[in-house]
């Protein structure tokens, strides 16, 4: 039995080394690959070196600036990825039978929504499944989730990448708002076109920062706006509006605490755009692991009611 145990250990070490190699190859970096695996760079390098020694080939070309695949490394990666996927699926089948989820899930979400909504949802999920490891990275710009090694990401609005799978989780209303003191000083717009005379606070991450969208009797309406303040943070834009500096185009999720306190008023409600759709987006692979599928189901159930969470603004 000891001999069989040694064989099993060697096989598991090989699988672990393959996972380390695949992570480093995907990220083109030992540091980022190790981070994706939750290991140290030293341990990750050790696993890759052991794999190369076992195969008697160099899989990765290392320089001080970057890591690239050798010709043999490219061929090996193409063949080992399906094997790793099948092994992960085999573990998932066992977990599903045992009703005991385990393993790492790497998640990406935008910062405000991640803190205000995703973190509370993850806390409930991890309390129910303590053997699941969660790695949440809050990143406000759009990333390549396959390149970055994430299992799923939370995205708002229209989905553009047809190579990914998505599941709708919830909707997020969008609002135009301003502080009562600003409106007393500068007037209250009754039509989107009147925003051209107002100081509109701009969000830089939008594709067209100087055009705001509206709906006029069901028809799309675009209005050009200008302003003396812009930021890549929607929280900053909303806070500036609450300080009385201008008009903000934001989400109800972020604006709600200010509205409840009377610091902001909603404007042009009859011209409001359709709500932003919130999706869980994940790679289009043959098998979705049980733990990731369970988390997506949990997020869909938890986030379906917009009134159950609010942005952290303090």
């Amino acid at each position: 039995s000891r001999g069989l145990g040694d064989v099993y250990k060697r096989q598991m070490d090989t699988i672990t080394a393959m996972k380390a190699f695949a992570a480093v190859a995907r990220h083109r970096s030992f540091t980022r690959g190790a981070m994706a695996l939750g290991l140290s760079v030293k341990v990750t390098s050790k696993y890759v070196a052991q794999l190369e020694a076992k195969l008697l080939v160099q899989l990765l070309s290392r320089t001080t600036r970057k890591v690239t695949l050798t010709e043999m490394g490219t061929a090996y990666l193409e063949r080992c990825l399906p094997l790793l996927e099948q092994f992960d699926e085999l573990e998932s089948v066992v977990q599903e039978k045992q009703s005991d989820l385990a393993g790492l899930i790497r998640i990406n979400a935008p910062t405000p929504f991640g803190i205000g909504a995703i973190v509370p949802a993850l806390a409930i999920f991890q309390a129910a499944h303590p053997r699941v490891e969660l790695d949440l990275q809050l990143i406000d710009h759009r990333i390549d989730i396959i390149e970055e090694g994430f299992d799923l990401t939370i995205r708002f609005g229209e989905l553009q990448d047809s190579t990914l799978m998505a599941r709708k989780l919830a909707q997020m209303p969008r609002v135009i708002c301003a502080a009562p003191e600003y409106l007393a000083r500068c007037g209250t717009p009754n039509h989107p076109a009147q925003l051209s005379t107002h100081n509109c606070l701009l969000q830089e991450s939008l594709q067209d920062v100087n055009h705001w969208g509206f709906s006029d009797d069901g028809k799309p309406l675009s209005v050009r706006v200008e302003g003396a303040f812009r930021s890549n943070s929607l929280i900053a834009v909303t806070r500036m509006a609450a300080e009385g500096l201008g008009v903000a185009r934001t989400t109800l999720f972020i604006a709600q605490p200010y509205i409840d306190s009377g610091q902001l008023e909603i404007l042009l409600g009859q011209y409001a755009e359709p709500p932003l759709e919130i999706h869980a987006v994940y790679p289009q692979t043959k098998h979705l692991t049980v733990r990731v599928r369970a988390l997506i189901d949990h997020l869909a159930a938890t986030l379906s009611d917009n009134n159950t969470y609010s942005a952290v603004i303090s």
Side-chain angles (χ1 to χ4, degrees):
S1 61
R2 183 176 179 180
L4 290 175
D6 289 342
V7 171
Y8 176 77
K9 183 179 183 302
R10 288 196 297 271
Q11 290 176 338
M12 292 304 297
D13 286 344
T14 299
I15 291 171
T16 302
M18 289 168 64
K19 287 182 177 180
F21 161 68
V24 173
R26 180 188 296 119
H27 293 282
R28 300 293 194 268
S29 164
F30 275 90
T31 301
R32 292 168 62 191
M35 186 181 302
L37 294 170
L39 300 175
S40 69
V41 175
K42 183 177 180 181
V43 170
T44 303
S45 299
K46 173 185 169 185
Y47 278 128
V48 173
Q50 288 176 345
L51 183 63
E52 290 179 321
K54 180 179 180 180
L55 298 173
L56 299 177
V57 296
Q58 183 179 359
L59 300 173
L60 297 170
S61 177
R62 308 154 176 84
T63 69
T64 56
R65 298 181 66 88
K66 63 180 180 178
V67 175
T68 57
L69 284 163
T70 64
E71 183 178 350
M72 286 301 300
T74 300
Y76 187 78
L77 182 65
E78 290 177 356
R79 287 161 177 78
C80 83
L81 285 179
L83 294 176
L84 291 175
E85 182 183 317
Q86 290 174 24
F87 182 77
D88 204 11
E89 177 63 16
L90 178 61
E91 286 186 323
S92 296
V93 169
V94 174
Q95 291 174 16
E96 191 169 31
K97 296 295 183 184
Q98 295 179 336
S99 299
D100 185 14
L101 302 181
L104 175 66
I105 305 176
R106 298 194 71 235
I107 311 138
N108 159 245
T111 302
F113 192 72
I115 295 174
I118 299 300
V119 167
L122 293 182
I124 297 171
F125 183 82
Q126 195 159 48
H129 306 287
R131 294 183 60 209
V132 172
E133 300 173 49
L134 299 174
D135 179 359
L136 173 64
Q137 299 294 316
L138 301 178
I139 305 171
D140 291 324
H141 60 271
R142 185 158 294 198
I143 62 168
D144 184 326
I145 66 171
I146 297 176
E147 182 72 21
E148 297 290 339
F150 286 100
D151 294 296
L152 72 148
T153 184
I154 306 301
R155 286 187 179 171
F156 287 71
E158 183 179 352
L159 299 176
Q160 300 175 343
D161 194 336
S162 61
T163 64
L164 300 174
M165 303 293 289
R167 177 172 172 182
K168 181 180 175 182
L169 300 176
Q171 291 187 339
M172 183 66 65
R174 291 178 277 197
V175 294
I176 305 295
C177 54
E181 56 266 33
Y182 173 85
L183 298 175
R185 187 171 70 250
C186 301
T188 301
N190 297 312
H191 188 275
Q194 295 176 356
L195 290 173
S196 61
T197 63
H198 285 265
N199 183 39
C200 293
L201 311 172
L202 308 177
Q203 181 191 0
E204 285 185 334
S205 58
L206 295 175
Q207 287 186 337
D208 191 344
V209 67
N210 290 107
H211 284 88
W212 287 1
F214 296 89
S215 178
D216 190 359
D217 288 333
K219 298 179 181 179
L221 172 64
S222 178
V223 174
R224 179 169 179 80
V225 295
E226 301 285 349
F229 177 82
R230 64 178 60 201
S231 173
N232 66 335
S233 167
L234 200 55
I235 288 182
V237 167
T238 309
R239 181 62 182 266
M240 189 64 80
E243 295 292 335
L245 271 296
V247 180
R249 177 183 184 237
T250 183
T251 64
L252 186 60
F253 168 73
I254 293 176
Q256 190 68 65
Y258 295 113
I259 295 169
D260 293 342
S261 67
Q263 292 176 274
L264 286 176
E265 294 181 9
I266 295 178
L267 309 173
L268 305 170
Q270 68 272 37
Y271 299 100
E273 296 175 272
L276 282 170
E277 292 190 347
I278 306 171
H279 291 89
V281 178
Y282 49 94
Q284 187 175 2
T285 56
K286 183 177 181 181
H287 301 291
L288 188 63
T289 62
V290 174
R291 62 181 179 272
V292 174
R293 186 166 65 244
L295 177 58
I296 292 173
D297 289 343
H298 171 74
L299 292 175
T302 305
L303 303 179
S304 59
D305 182 359
N306 287 331
N307 295 320
T308 60
Y309 46 83
S310 60
V312 177
I313 60 173
S314 59

